[in-house]
Amino acid sequence: MSSTQHTNEQLTPTLAAAPIVLLIAMLALSVFFFGSDASYGANQIALVLATGVAALVGQHTGIRWRDAQEGIIDGIGVGLAPTLILLVVGMLIGTWILAGTVPTMIYYGIQILNPQIFYAASALICAIVAISVGSSWTVAGTLGIGLMGIAGSFDLSPAIAAGAIISGAYFGDKLSPMSDTTNLASAVAGVDLFEHIRHMLWTTVPSFAIALLVFALIGGGDASTPQEIEALQNSLQIEFNIGLHLLLPLLLMLFLVYKRFPAYPAILISALAGGIFALIFQPDVVQGLAGDTELSRGLALVKGVWIALFAGYESNSGNEFLDALLSKGGMSSMMNTVWLIICALGFGGILERTGILNYWLRHALRMVKGTGSLVATTVATCVATNVLAADQFMALALPGRMYRDAYKEYKLSPLNLSRTLEDSATLTSALIPWNTCGAYMSATLGVATVVYAPFAIFNIVCPLIAIAYGVSGIAQKPLESASDPEPAAASA
């Protein structure tokens, strides 16, 4: 999406509100009719119709259809990289199950992790790894998959498990100097990266501590019995060859990301590594997935890996629980999410090109009366941009540029702005079903966004603490001309 802020002086409050009101009404009706399945088509229809209304508003105010269409295309362009990553994550899930990597993670995980502390332990593990690799998506797409399998093995709540994984992944992502969003927030505000990270500790650490406490209190009282867990382990050993060496594709993935290898090729290489491991260590499983007795063994092995890449793995162990746990993955499993992302980003693109998004951002600035309202308005604007533009990078960049001078006017260091951008734009992106992050997490972890969102404790608490700090004046660093850059001159 273009970094230019498009304005439209012909807009009125009624015209600017029309597509947004329609979208909200249709999304509410979608959830009423279809519940957690709303993202499997109903939300997409709402987004497409709202995009059409935005185009009509644009035409009414002098925006040609060609220009509006370019806005839609630019908006969708923002999501191409995440979409490619999403597709190869589907490939990775398929081959990692076929190779025995995910079954091995489950097998040993249920031995090591105590179900009573599973949620808190999962959040902590994901946090540590995310700090190391700087990517919440990578953590969810690797460790997250295994942890969701372990949660299923313990018969624990998938919604709470997903919330714990996301809480930990975003905590680590937020504090990692290798994170894209952390670098973008500091750049938009014009502050030093490591000063930005240090200033975020004020809100991030207490928020994560609250999340860990909640997860610890929830516990795992309804966990499976030792006999059920032992039966599951036996079923895993019957269907797959289990061994620690099968975790090497996971270690390869984490190593590549740690070395700053781009996400798409890193995940693709790891998916292919899973396919190679499947050929070497699970040949009978691969041949069974191919399901073609007329082919030679060599061709059947190639076909089996190919199926895992595009259609995922299908377990036929006879153990109903295990079959449900492991029958997933493949590029095709991500297509519904791709559909949702395209529709959402198209809507965000036309809102920006017609000036509707900028219209409401400028109106939000008029509500600022002091430090507390400035921080609260920044949080609200970032959340709204996440909802309307469906992309966390837009939710960081647009409000970041718009509020830089406002923080200067109130004698506040731009570090407060960069921290608030992360507290709101980065974290709430995973709570919105049609946002690229919410759609990704739902597709990867296998839990609808609206189902896991109430349990993403860290992502919910941190924006609230940011607002509380703003209202009370806690940890609001003043502008110091000797050390702080001029926000207006900072690079975006």
Short mmCIF file of all heavy atoms in Angstrom, two decimals, residues 169-209:
data_model
loop_
_atom_site.label_atom_id
_atom_site.label_comp_id
_atom_site.label_asym_id
_atom_site.label_seq_id
_atom_site.Cartn_x
_atom_site.Cartn_y
_atom_site.Cartn_z
N ALA A 169 4.37 -15.48 21.94
CA ALA A 169 5.00 -15.15 20.65
C ALA A 169 5.06 -13.64 20.45
O ALA A 169 6.08 -13.10 19.98
CB ALA A 169 4.23 -15.81 19.52
N TYR A 170 4.00 -12.94 20.81
CA TYR A 170 3.99 -11.49 20.61
C TYR A 170 4.83 -10.75 21.64
O TYR A 170 5.38 -9.69 21.35
CB TYR A 170 2.54 -10.97 20.58
CG TYR A 170 1.95 -11.04 19.19
CD1 TYR A 170 1.39 -12.21 18.72
CD2 TYR A 170 2.00 -9.95 18.34
CE1 TYR A 170 0.88 -12.30 17.44
CE2 TYR A 170 1.49 -10.02 17.06
CZ TYR A 170 0.93 -11.20 16.61
OH TYR A 170 0.45 -11.27 15.33
N PHE A 171 4.92 -11.30 22.84
CA PHE A 171 5.82 -10.70 23.83
C PHE A 171 7.26 -10.73 23.31
O PHE A 171 7.97 -9.72 23.33
CB PHE A 171 5.72 -11.46 25.16
CG PHE A 171 6.78 -11.07 26.17
CD1 PHE A 171 6.61 -9.97 26.98
CD2 PHE A 171 7.95 -11.82 26.30
CE1 PHE A 171 7.58 -9.61 27.90
CE2 PHE A 171 8.92 -11.47 27.22
CZ PHE A 171 8.74 -10.36 28.02
N GLY A 172 7.70 -11.90 22.85
CA GLY A 172 9.06 -12.02 22.35
C GLY A 172 9.30 -11.21 21.10
O GLY A 172 10.34 -10.55 20.94
N ASP A 173 8.33 -11.24 20.19
CA ASP A 173 8.43 -10.46 18.95
C ASP A 173 8.59 -8.98 19.26
O ASP A 173 9.42 -8.27 18.68
CB ASP A 173 7.16 -10.71 18.12
CG ASP A 173 7.21 -10.07 16.74
OD1 ASP A 173 7.68 -8.91 16.64
OD2 ASP A 173 6.78 -10.71 15.77
N LYS A 174 7.81 -8.50 20.22
CA LYS A 174 7.79 -7.08 20.57
C LYS A 174 9.12 -6.60 21.13
O LYS A 174 9.53 -5.45 20.91
CB LYS A 174 6.67 -6.87 21.60
CG LYS A 174 6.24 -5.43 21.86
CD LYS A 174 4.94 -5.46 22.66
CE LYS A 174 4.43 -4.05 22.94
NZ LYS A 174 5.05 -3.47 24.13
N LEU A 175 9.82 -7.48 21.85
CA LEU A 175 11.07 -7.09 22.50
C LEU A 175 12.31 -7.52 21.73
O LEU A 175 13.43 -7.30 22.21
CB LEU A 175 11.12 -7.66 23.92
CG LEU A 175 10.11 -7.10 24.92
CD1 LEU A 175 10.33 -7.71 26.30
CD2 LEU A 175 10.19 -5.58 25.00
N SER A 176 12.12 -8.09 20.56
CA SER A 176 13.27 -8.56 19.80
C SER A 176 13.78 -7.49 18.84
O SER A 176 13.00 -6.91 18.07
CB SER A 176 12.91 -9.81 19.00
OG SER A 176 13.98 -10.18 18.15
N PRO A 177 15.07 -7.20 18.84
CA PRO A 177 15.61 -6.22 17.88
C PRO A 177 15.57 -6.73 16.45
O PRO A 177 15.82 -5.97 15.52
CB PRO A 177 17.07 -6.04 18.36
CG PRO A 177 17.38 -7.29 19.13
CD PRO A 177 16.10 -7.72 19.75
N MET A 178 15.24 -8.01 16.25
CA MET A 178 15.15 -8.57 14.91
C MET A 178 13.73 -8.52 14.35
O MET A 178 13.50 -8.93 13.21
CB MET A 178 15.66 -10.02 14.92
CG MET A 178 17.13 -10.14 15.25
SD MET A 178 17.74 -11.83 15.13
CE MET A 178 16.98 -12.58 16.56
N SER A 179 12.79 -8.03 15.13
CA SER A 179 11.40 -8.00 14.70
C SER A 179 11.14 -6.87 13.71
O SER A 179 11.58 -5.74 13.89
CB SER A 179 10.49 -7.83 15.93
OG SER A 179 9.18 -7.48 15.53
N ASP A 180 10.36 -7.18 12.66
CA ASP A 180 10.00 -6.16 11.67
C ASP A 180 9.19 -5.03 12.30
O ASP A 180 9.42 -3.85 12.03
CB ASP A 180 9.19 -6.80 10.54
CG ASP A 180 10.04 -7.70 9.65
OD1 ASP A 180 11.27 -7.57 9.70
OD2 ASP A 180 9.46 -8.53 8.93
N THR A 181 8.20 -5.40 13.13
CA THR A 181 7.33 -4.38 13.72
C THR A 181 8.10 -3.51 14.71
O THR A 181 7.85 -2.30 14.80
CB THR A 181 6.14 -5.03 14.43
OG1 THR A 181 6.61 -5.98 15.40
CG2 THR A 181 5.25 -5.74 13.43
N THR A 182 9.01 -4.10 15.45
CA THR A 182 9.81 -3.32 16.41
C THR A 182 10.69 -2.31 15.68
O THR A 182 10.80 -1.15 16.10
CB THR A 182 10.68 -4.27 17.26
OG1 THR A 182 9.84 -5.23 17.88
CG2 THR A 182 11.44 -3.50 18.32
N ASN A 183 11.28 -2.73 14.59
CA ASN A 183 12.09 -1.81 13.79
C ASN A 183 11.24 -0.74 13.13
O ASN A 183 11.64 0.43 13.06
CB ASN A 183 12.87 -2.59 12.73
CG ASN A 183 14.13 -3.24 13.28
OD1 ASN A 183 15.18 -2.62 13.35
ND2 ASN A 183 14.02 -4.49 13.70
N LEU A 184 10.05 -1.12 12.64
CA LEU A 184 9.19 -0.14 11.97
C LEU A 184 8.69 0.91 12.96
O LEU A 184 8.69 2.10 12.66
CB LEU A 184 8.00 -0.86 11.33
CG LEU A 184 6.96 0.05 10.65
CD1 LEU A 184 7.61 0.89 9.56
CD2 LEU A 184 5.80 -0.77 10.10
N ALA A 185 8.26 0.47 14.15
CA ALA A 185 7.75 1.42 15.15
C ALA A 185 8.82 2.44 15.55
O ALA A 185 8.54 3.63 15.66
CB ALA A 185 7.24 0.67 16.38
N SER A 186 10.04 1.97 15.76
CA SER A 186 11.11 2.89 16.14
C SER A 186 11.45 3.83 14.98
O SER A 186 11.74 5.02 15.20
CB SER A 186 12.36 2.12 16.59
OG SER A 186 12.86 1.31 15.54
N ALA A 187 11.40 3.32 13.75
CA ALA A 187 11.71 4.16 12.59
C ALA A 187 10.64 5.22 12.36
O ALA A 187 10.95 6.39 12.08
CB ALA A 187 11.87 3.29 11.34
N VAL A 188 9.38 4.83 12.47
CA VAL A 188 8.28 5.78 12.26
C VAL A 188 8.35 6.92 13.27
O VAL A 188 8.13 8.08 12.95
CB VAL A 188 6.92 5.05 12.36
CG1 VAL A 188 5.78 6.04 12.47
CG2 VAL A 188 6.72 4.16 11.13
N ALA A 189 8.66 6.58 14.53
CA ALA A 189 8.74 7.61 15.57
C ALA A 189 10.07 8.34 15.57
O ALA A 189 10.21 9.39 16.20
CB ALA A 189 8.50 6.98 16.94
N GLY A 190 11.06 7.79 14.88
CA GLY A 190 12.36 8.44 14.80
C GLY A 190 13.19 8.29 16.07
O GLY A 190 13.82 9.24 16.51
N VAL A 191 13.20 7.07 16.64
CA VAL A 191 13.95 6.85 17.88
C VAL A 191 14.93 5.70 17.68
O VAL A 191 14.79 4.88 16.76
CB VAL A 191 13.01 6.53 19.06
CG1 VAL A 191 12.08 7.70 19.33
CG2 VAL A 191 12.20 5.26 18.81
N ASP A 192 15.91 5.63 18.57
CA ASP A 192 16.87 4.54 18.54
C ASP A 192 16.17 3.22 18.86
O ASP A 192 15.33 3.15 19.77
CB ASP A 192 17.98 4.80 19.55
CG ASP A 192 18.99 3.66 19.64
OD1 ASP A 192 19.83 3.56 18.73
OD2 ASP A 192 18.90 2.87 20.60
N LEU A 193 16.52 2.17 18.13
CA LEU A 193 15.86 0.87 18.29
C LEU A 193 15.96 0.34 19.71
O LEU A 193 14.97 -0.09 20.30
CB LEU A 193 16.47 -0.13 17.30
CG LEU A 193 16.00 -1.58 17.44
CD1 LEU A 193 14.50 -1.70 17.17
CD2 LEU A 193 16.79 -2.48 16.50
N PHE A 194 17.17 0.38 20.29
CA PHE A 194 17.35 -0.22 21.61
C PHE A 194 16.75 0.66 22.72
O PHE A 194 16.29 0.15 23.74
CB PHE A 194 18.82 -0.53 21.84
CG PHE A 194 19.31 -1.65 20.99
CD1 PHE A 194 20.00 -1.40 19.81
CD2 PHE A 194 19.05 -2.97 21.33
CE1 PHE A 194 20.44 -2.44 19.00
CE2 PHE A 194 19.47 -4.02 20.53
CZ PHE A 194 20.17 -3.75 19.36
N GLU A 195 16.72 1.97 22.53
CA GLU A 195 16.01 2.83 23.48
C GLU A 195 14.51 2.52 23.42
O GLU A 195 13.82 2.52 24.46
CB GLU A 195 16.27 4.30 23.17
CG GLU A 195 17.66 4.78 23.55
CD GLU A 195 17.80 6.28 23.40
OE1 GLU A 195 16.76 6.97 23.26
OE2 GLU A 195 18.93 6.78 23.44
N HIS A 196 14.02 2.29 22.22
CA HIS A 196 12.61 1.92 22.05
C HIS A 196 12.29 0.64 22.80
O HIS A 196 11.28 0.55 23.52
CB HIS A 196 12.34 1.77 20.55
CG HIS A 196 11.06 1.08 20.21
ND1 HIS A 196 9.82 1.54 20.59
CD2 HIS A 196 10.83 -0.09 19.52
CE1 HIS A 196 8.87 0.72 20.15
NE2 HIS A 196 9.47 -0.28 19.51
N ILE A 197 13.14 -0.37 22.66
CA ILE A 197 12.92 -1.64 23.34
C ILE A 197 12.96 -1.47 24.85
O ILE A 197 12.11 -2.00 25.59
CB ILE A 197 13.96 -2.69 22.88
CG1 ILE A 197 13.71 -3.06 21.41
CG2 ILE A 197 13.91 -3.94 23.76
CD1 ILE A 197 14.77 -3.94 20.82
N ARG A 198 13.92 -0.70 25.34
CA ARG A 198 14.00 -0.47 26.79
C ARG A 198 12.76 0.24 27.31
O ARG A 198 12.24 -0.08 28.38
CB ARG A 198 15.26 0.34 27.12
CG ARG A 198 16.55 -0.47 27.10
CD ARG A 198 17.69 0.29 27.75
NE ARG A 198 18.06 1.48 26.99
CZ ARG A 198 18.96 1.50 26.02
NH1 ARG A 198 19.58 0.38 25.67
NH2 ARG A 198 19.24 2.60 25.37
N HIS A 199 12.27 1.22 26.55
CA HIS A 199 11.09 1.97 27.00
C HIS A 199 9.84 1.09 26.98
O HIS A 199 8.91 1.32 27.77
CB HIS A 199 10.89 3.19 26.11
CG HIS A 199 10.01 4.24 26.71
ND1 HIS A 199 10.27 4.83 27.93
CD2 HIS A 199 8.86 4.81 26.27
CE1 HIS A 199 9.34 5.72 28.21
NE2 HIS A 199 8.46 5.72 27.22
N MET A 200 9.82 0.09 26.11
CA MET A 200 8.66 -0.81 26.06
C MET A 200 8.56 -1.70 27.29
O MET A 200 7.49 -2.25 27.58
CB MET A 200 8.71 -1.67 24.80
CG MET A 200 8.27 -0.96 23.54
SD MET A 200 7.86 -2.12 22.21
CE MET A 200 9.47 -2.87 21.91
N LEU A 201 9.66 -1.88 28.01
CA LEU A 201 9.63 -2.76 29.19
C LEU A 201 8.61 -2.28 30.22
O LEU A 201 8.05 -3.09 30.96
CB LEU A 201 11.03 -2.83 29.82
CG LEU A 201 12.12 -3.48 28.97
CD1 LEU A 201 13.47 -3.38 29.68
CD2 LEU A 201 11.79 -4.95 28.68
N TRP A 202 8.36 -0.97 30.25
CA TRP A 202 7.41 -0.42 31.22
C TRP A 202 6.03 -1.03 31.08
O TRP A 202 5.35 -1.31 32.07
CB TRP A 202 7.31 1.11 31.05
CG TRP A 202 8.45 1.87 31.63
CD1 TRP A 202 9.54 2.36 30.96
CD2 TRP A 202 8.63 2.24 33.00
NE1 TRP A 202 10.39 3.01 31.82
CE2 TRP A 202 9.85 2.96 33.09
CE3 TRP A 202 7.89 2.04 34.16
CZ2 TRP A 202 10.33 3.47 34.29
CZ3 TRP A 202 8.36 2.55 35.36
CH2 TRP A 202 9.57 3.26 35.41
N THR A 203 5.58 -1.23 29.86
CA THR A 203 4.24 -1.80 29.65
C THR A 203 4.28 -3.29 29.37
O THR A 203 3.37 -4.02 29.76
CB THR A 203 3.55 -1.10 28.46
OG1 THR A 203 4.42 -1.15 27.31
CG2 THR A 203 3.24 0.35 28.79
N THR A 204 5.34 -3.74 28.71
CA THR A 204 5.39 -5.13 28.24
C THR A 204 5.59 -6.13 29.37
O THR A 204 4.90 -7.16 29.43
CB THR A 204 6.52 -5.29 27.20
OG1 THR A 204 6.33 -4.34 26.16
CG2 THR A 204 6.55 -6.68 26.63
N VAL A 205 6.51 -5.84 30.29
CA VAL A 205 6.81 -6.79 31.36
C VAL A 205 5.63 -7.00 32.30
O VAL A 205 5.23 -8.14 32.56
CB VAL A 205 8.08 -6.36 32.13
CG1 VAL A 205 8.27 -7.21 33.37
CG2 VAL A 205 9.30 -6.46 31.22
N PRO A 206 5.00 -5.93 32.83
CA PRO A 206 3.84 -6.18 33.70
C PRO A 206 2.68 -6.85 32.98
O PRO A 206 1.98 -7.68 33.58
CB PRO A 206 3.45 -4.78 34.20
CG PRO A 206 4.14 -3.82 33.31
CD PRO A 206 5.35 -4.49 32.80
N SER A 207 2.49 -6.55 31.70
CA SER A 207 1.41 -7.18 30.94
C SER A 207 1.65 -8.68 30.80
O SER A 207 0.73 -9.49 30.97
CB SER A 207 1.30 -6.55 29.55
OG SER A 207 1.01 -5.18 29.64
N PHE A 208 2.89 -9.05 30.52
CA PHE A 208 3.19 -10.47 30.36
C PHE A 208 3.15 -11.19 31.70
O PHE A 208 2.73 -12.35 31.78
CB PHE A 208 4.56 -10.65 29.70
CG PHE A 208 4.82 -12.05 29.22
CD1 PHE A 208 3.99 -12.66 28.31
CD2 PHE A 208 5.91 -12.77 29.71
CE1 PHE A 208 4.22 -13.96 27.87
CE2 PHE A 208 6.16 -14.07 29.28
CZ PHE A 208 5.31 -14.66 28.35
N ALA A 209 3.55 -10.50 32.76
CA ALA A 209 3.46 -11.10 34.10
C ALA A 209 2.02 -11.39 34.46
O ALA A 209 1.71 -12.47 35.02
CB ALA A 209 4.09 -10.15 35.13
#
